Amino acid sequence: MSLSERIEQLEAEINKAQARTAEEVERFRVAMLGRNGAVTELFETFKQVAAEEKRALGQRMNQLKQRAQSRWEELKAGVSAGAAEAGPRVDTSTPALLRPTGSLHPITIIRQRIVDVFARIGFTVSQGPEVEDDHHNFSALNFPPDHPARDMQDTFFVEGPGGLALRTHTSSVQVRVMEGSKPPIRTISPGRVYRNEAISARAHCMFHQVEALYVDEGVSFAELKGTLDYFAKSMFGTEVSIRLRPSYFPFTEPSAEVDMSCTICGGAGCNVCKHSGWVEIMGCGMVDPAVLANCGIDPERYSGFALGMGVERIAQLVYRVPDLRLYWENDTRFLDQFTAGSVRS
Ligand code: DAH
């Protein structure tokens, strides 16, 4: 076969070459342009032909090589276009990507748990506004006009007429409920409250409270104590106990602070309980008859108890997170650590 015929033959071969896979493309390249490929070998033969023939066939030889290269590019492009059409290959054996799903805020988790614990003994949920008037936040709750809690230090007042302020506690909702319904009343009010405090690890200008109110005929202090014990054991475990310390709130009489045996050291003494074995968890008392009367409920016939707790305080004890500021920074590295299931019941 003459060189010229061989060139023709290879041209025909190159033009009809097909490839369905990357391997077949590579096989074509090796067969034509590889070190021992047909085109490469033909160049070796070409080196040995007479100078005259070289002149005559040199251009065709170069065209042959170019054609082999361009066909190789075409085949490559065809295979990758086909691969794109077929869509990405799915390797079902690779581990699934863990997508960030978000989670409930720890304060939400604890608030829901508190609501659940009270719902089980028949308490409904009531809500009130965060911007409150003096009557609901203070006056009806028996705060005398010169009471220090009304001081600019504690309260964020809202500019403008009407004497409005950001509520300093959820006790304001008690007043709204008692004004708006008849006993028996058994309700809790979770919500956000505001106080003009410098922000530190131990205090914040915004926090959350849950208030509970029970008003009916013959409600006694013993029922209050039973409810407190039930709450503490439901929230923290049956091994905890509570104690009451006499205290003062304008809207309850008698009033008490509730301490719980320290969940961290079990009562032996540690930093959290300041080596006393007890931690304070809320305030409580029997609704002052004057407050009942202020809200249109006959104190001769009805009595009631009330209690109020800080949700952050309960969360601190459940999660052992001492710095209050963490609950407001919303750093996802902090928030990701909490799941509803991790709360003890
Ligand atoms: N309102 C009180 C506070 O913010 C908490 C409180 C104490 C609520 C005693 C009550 C209660 O209902 O009886 O500090």
Side-chain angles (χ1 to χ4, degrees):
M1 193 189 292
S2 74
L3 192 56
S4 173
E5 280 166 349
R6 180 68 181 136
I7 291 173
E8 239 168 70
Q9 190 189 37
L10 279 179
E11 257 170 7
E13 229 174 277
I14 289 167
N15 284 336
K16 62 173 210 278
Q18 295 294 340
R20 272 164 301 144
T21 63
E23 290 77 37
E24 285 175 10
V25 173
E26 179 61 3
R27 224 174 291 143
F28 169 82
R29 189 193 65 79
V30 171
M32 292 299 162
L33 301 162
R35 198 141 32 96
N36 300 317
V39 175
T40 317
E41 269 176 4
L42 203 61
F43 268 87
E44 292 300 314
T45 317
F46 181 70
K47 275 184 201 160
Q48 284 144 33
V49 300
E52 206 180 302
E53 212 180 337
K54 267 194 186 139
R55 236 176 288 125
L57 292 176
Q59 205 185 349
R60 281 187 64 201
M61 284 294 292
N62 285 332
Q63 278 167 353
L64 176 72
K65 190 171 176 188
Q66 275 164 15
R67 179 65 195 127
Q69 261 159 352
S70 65
R71 184 70 193 139
W72 176 52
E73 298 291 346
E74 281 164 22
L75 294 176
K76 254 202 306 196
V79 167
S80 54
E85 252 164 52
R89 288 183 58 202
V90 176
D91 180 354
T92 51
S93 69
T94 50
L97 279 182
L98 287 180
R99 292 185 186 278
T101 51
S103 55
L104 291 178
H105 192 283
I107 295 300
T108 306
I109 296 171
I110 296 297
R111 191 198 63 222
Q112 289 180 347
R113 286 280 294 117
I114 297 171
V115 169
D116 282 354
V117 167
F118 279 98
R120 268 183 255 150
I121 53 170
F123 282 74
T124 57
V125 173
S126 308
Q127 258 155 359
E130 291 182 18
V131 177
E132 227 355 323
D133 53 34
D134 184 275
H135 169 75
H136 291 94
N137 198 77
F138 294 127
S139 311
L141 289 166
N142 230 12
F143 281 82
D146 56 353
H147 194 280
R150 294 174 172 227
D151 198 286
M152 293 293 284
Q153 294 290 309
D154 295 316
T155 309
F156 287 114
F157 292 100
V158 176
E159 277 182 14
L164 296 176
L166 298 181
R167 68 179 175 195
T168 57
H169 53 181
T170 45
S171 303
S172 56
V173 187
Q174 278 189 31
V175 177
R176 291 184 174 274
V177 171
M178 286 192 281
E179 284 175 345
S181 47
K182 301 227 162 312
I185 294 168
R186 220 185 287 144
T187 194
I188 58 169
S189 335
R192 198 178 291 175
V193 301
Y194 302 85
R195 288 189 200 170
N196 193 0
E197 302 248 15
I199 295 169
S200 71
R202 300 169 60 86
H204 211 290
C205 59
M206 306 187 267
F207 54 102
H208 299 82
Q209 288 187 332
V210 176
E211 187 85 9
L213 174 72
Y214 178 32
V215 180
D216 200 354
E217 287 180 19
V219 175
S220 69
F221 198 92
E223 281 170 286
L224 168 60
K225 200 170 172 197
T227 305
L228 294 168
D229 190 59
Y230 158 79
F231 170 78
K233 288 185 162 62
S234 306
M235 199 71 200
F236 292 97
T238 48
E239 68 281 7
V240 302
S241 49
I242 56 155
R243 71 175 187 188
L244 300 179
R245 270 181 296 115
S247 185
Y248 172 78
F249 299 102
F251 40 89
T252 43
E253 182 56 37
S255 305
E257 246 20 287
V258 184
D259 289 345
M260 182 178 72
S261 52
C262 181
T263 52
I264 313 284
C265 64
C270 68
N271 285 341
V272 174
C273 61
K274 300 191 198 85
H275 300 279
S276 69
W278 296 93
V279 288
E280 190 183 309
I281 56 168
M282 66 177 94
C284 68
M286 301 306 291
V287 181
D288 193 304
V291 173
L292 294 176
N294 288 344
C295 300
I297 291 176
D298 179 4
E300 298 295 328
R301 181 168 171 203
Y302 295 105
S303 60
F305 70 68
L307 58 93
M309 71 188 91
V311 181
E312 279 79 358
R313 178 87 187 119
I314 304 295
Q316 278 181 322
L317 293 170
V318 171
Y319 293 127
R320 304 179 188 190
V321 174
D323 191 331
L324 273 179
R325 289 168 296 196
L326 287 165
Y327 292 113
W328 293 93
E329 282 167 4
N330 285 336
D331 184 328
T332 54
R333 289 168 302 177
F334 173 71
L335 297 179
D336 280 350
Q337 301 173 79
F338 302 93
T339 55
S342 73
V343 183
R344 294 202 284 154
S345 56

